[in-house]
Amino acid sequence: MQTKNRAVVGILLMVFLFFVILMVFATFTVKVFNDESKVFDSQNKRGQIAVIEVSGPIMQAKETVELLEKAEKDKSVKAIILRINSPGGAVGPTQEIYEEIRRIDSAYNPEDKTASGKPIYASFDAIAASGGYYLGAAARKIYASPGTLTGSIGVIMNFTDLSKVFEYFKVKQTPVKAGKYKDIGSPHRSMTNEESGLMNKMIQVVHKQFMRDIEATRKEKLTKEILELAQGQIFSGEEAKELGLVDELGSLWKAGRDIHKELNLEGEFALKYIKKKKKSGFWDLVDNLDQATTNIRLSTMVNYMPMLIFGK
């Protein structure tokens, strides 16, 4: 009995020791990344052109909007480049970021030194499709590499009908609902014609919103009607420029140099990356873990949301 108790205590001590080592390693790793980012930021304090990165699926607006507001309030920043590398994402957050870009850019007035706005430009990385393009369309000018993947202007919702599978395994769901359409899109049954019509109507409305917002800034630049360009086609950066969906071909650094010259900025050209400051405390690690869990939950909802996304 005594030997058994010692074994249990030994296992608990090993688990505790492993946990301590894990937390020390995690804290050290975050600190190293923070130190590296501080060094990087300190080398770019002279930069008058801010760069805000939007990477991956757009599932929430909060962080990007906060970075935009941070760049807006920074008196040393004279212009903002939104560096986009995204296949798209959820409609709501994309529209929220679009709205904030338009607010800041529209408030810019080079003749009024008291104006709070800043000119915002977009630079497309490897991919800026669907919702990624939506954000770019909010900017006053779009730069892309010739091989950048862009376009995919459209909206999609995916529903999976697993009713035959459940039937095969003799699994039956009995939903208790208040509202005729509350279980619309459930994988346990097929959609009715009426429900399919409702969903299609809603998707068409969002599609029109997408096209309307692109035309708000680019109508005079497009070489074809927006409806013809907004059927989900994928374009290279070179094709997009010919169609008026992109303004200039070139890298992030070309965009920065062009902007530096366009705005007659004084001093040497440099880019200033605007990033969210991350802390290395224990509770911040817990908060980051909670955020990661939230993102996982959001990803499970993707198929049941109107999406502005490439390749789905």
Side-chain angles (χ1 to χ4, degrees):
M1 184 68 177
Q2 190 174 2
T3 303
K4 187 176 180 180
N5 289 338
R6 285 179 179 175
V8 171
V9 171
I11 291 171
L12 291 174
L13 286 173
M14 288 178 65
V15 171
F16 177 74
L17 182 61
F18 176 76
F19 176 77
V20 171
I21 293 172
L22 180 64
M23 295 310 301
V24 170
F25 176 76
T27 303
F28 175 76
T29 302
V30 172
K31 186 178 185 302
V32 168
F33 281 126
N34 283 343
D35 289 343
E36 288 179 354
S37 65
K38 285 175 184 176
V39 171
F40 188 83
D41 289 341
S42 68
Q43 292 176 344
N44 289 275
K45 285 182 178 178
R46 59 193 172 89
Q48 300 174 74
I49 302 172
V51 178
I52 295 173
E53 297 176 306
V54 178
S55 300
I58 304 162
M59 299 305 295
Q60 55 183 339
K62 183 175 180 290
E63 184 170 330
T64 302
V65 169
E66 287 177 348
L67 294 177
L68 284 167
E69 290 179 346
K70 184 176 180 181
E72 179 189 17
K73 294 174 182 176
D74 188 334
K75 293 182 179 179
S76 69
V77 169
K78 306 303 180 186
I80 301 168
I81 299 177
L82 205 63
R83 179 63 165 173
I84 302 170
N85 191 24
S86 172
V91 176
T94 303
Q95 291 178 329
E96 287 183 341
I97 299 171
Y98 175 98
E99 190 176 291
E100 197 66 10
I101 296 169
R102 294 303 309 137
R103 180 190 68 79
I104 296 171
D105 184 80
S106 299
Y108 171 67
N109 183 354
E111 305 300 326
D112 183 1
K113 301 301 181 182
T114 63
S116 61
K118 304 278 174 74
I120 300 182
Y121 303 78
S123 170
F124 291 168
D125 200 335
I127 181 171
S130 210
Y133 181 78
Y134 202 140
L135 297 187
R140 59 179 51 211
K141 187 178 286 187
I142 300 174
Y143 287 79
S145 295
T148 296
L149 294 179
T150 189
S152 189
I153 302 169
V155 189
I156 188 170
M157 291 182 75
N158 284 318
F159 294 100
T160 305
D161 181 3
L162 298 176
S163 56
K164 296 296 182 183
V165 176
F166 288 116
E167 184 180 329
Y168 178 82
F169 286 103
K170 302 188 185 304
V171 176
K172 183 179 180 181
Q173 185 190 44
T174 307
V176 178
K177 60 181 182 178
K180 180 180 178 181
Y181 305 108
K182 191 60 183 174
D183 64 338
I184 192 169
S186 169
H188 294 83
R189 66 177 181 83
S190 300
M191 223 185 270
T192 66
N193 290 335
E194 183 184 7
E195 290 171 336
S196 181
L198 284 172
M199 300 310 293
N200 276 310
K201 182 179 178 181
M202 186 266 290
I203 285 292
Q204 294 301 321
V205 169
V206 177
H207 190 211
K208 287 178 181 177
Q209 293 170 2
F210 195 170
M211 293 188 290
R212 178 195 65 205
D213 286 342
I214 291 174
E215 283 195 309
T217 56
R218 305 197 64 84
K219 187 172 183 179
E220 303 304 319
K221 300 178 180 181
L222 300 178
T223 60
K224 294 184 178 181
E225 292 296 321
I226 184 62
L227 187 60
E228 185 178 347
L229 300 174
Q231 298 302 313
Q233 311 97 306
I234 307 301
F235 305 110
S236 69
E238 192 169 21
E239 290 174 311
K241 184 179 184 302
E242 292 174 359
L243 295 168
L245 293 169
V246 163
D247 297 291
E248 299 285 347
L249 295 180
S251 67
L252 169 65
W253 296 272
K254 180 186 185 313
R257 291 187 184 96
D258 286 356
I259 295 165
H260 192 270
K261 184 177 180 181
E262 178 185 323
L263 300 180
N264 294 314
L265 299 181
E266 297 178 356
E268 188 180 348
F269 160 69
L271 297 175
K272 180 177 183 178
Y273 280 73
I274 306 295
K275 294 181 178 291
K276 182 180 179 182
K277 295 292 183 182
K278 293 185 178 180
K279 300 177 183 178
S280 56
F282 172 76
W283 292 112
D284 295 290
L285 291 172
V286 173
D287 184 59
N288 290 339
L289 179 61
D290 180 65
Q291 184 60 53
T293 305
T294 301
N295 290 338
I296 291 173
R297 287 200 301 268
L298 285 171
S299 67
T300 63
M301 298 165 60
V302 163
N303 286 343
Y304 307 103
M305 298 169 65
M307 299 295 291
L308 305 170
I309 200 160
F310 162 76
K312 289 289 285 183

